[in-house]
Amino acid sequence: IYVADAHLTRDDPEVETFVAFLRDVGPSAGTLYILGDLFNVWFGEPKFRMPHQGIVLAALAELAASGVTLKFVEGNRDFSVRRNHLGAPFRDVSSSSLVESHGGRRIVATHGDEINREDRQYRLWKAVSKSFAVYGVFRLLPGSWGVRAGESLERKLSGTNLRHKARFPEAHCRDYAREAFAMGASVLVLGHFHEEMELRVPGGTVYVLPAWRGQHRYLVFEGDQEGRFEDYAPR
């Protein structure tokens, strides 16, 4: 199962819905992938954890304890997740991409925020914000300062970029997919763009995940069947 872009915030009804999804659908997954931007902003250090993040992480830990494998690909709003959450609750965490062999397919999963290679301004911002020079210094702040900074960022980011407003970079996506398929992959799964798509590219298929937030849709691979998008409705 693959899901992306929940953008959960404080005092957010989407938190309850996502936790219910983990409880109701999560146990059916051999592996559950979260492809970034689980929270509107996530500083991975425990001392910076906000209340709504603790609720979701507890639900993820419970799911992992039940035997479901959890894997996470960091998005553009996730910081230091691998450093702090590899092994608990996530079996694997990557800042770039993860690969899964399932049903005779080799599936590459990535957040997708670096697909558009012409967006140099964004790529520079990401490199700087996640660099040791910037985030490494931020990590040294007292916990209360980091929490306040996170809450301030959440207020500023809340409601922004929750729908993909710019034109989907299909040509760049196809180029990226062809490179992945040339290296042995047959499926590419992306988040970030908040638009549900299925693209056929020579050598394989690209699935673009819709934003979980407000849509509650996710991607499933079962056996050797093609991927399918499904809706979640709380019981």
Side-chain angles (χ1 to χ4, degrees), residues 26-41:
S28 68
T31 303
L32 173 65
Y33 277 85
I34 300 175
L35 301 190
D37 290 0
L38 174 58
F39 303 107
N40 211 34
V41 63

Side-chain angles (χ1 to χ4, degrees), residues 111-129:
H111 182 61
D113 56 318
E114 294 190 352
I115 293 290
N116 188 348
R117 293 169 178 169
E118 291 183 359
D119 193 351
R120 296 180 179 85
Q121 183 177 4
Y122 167 77
R123 292 165 70 90
L124 176 62
W125 173 84
K126 182 178 179 180
V128 170
S129 66

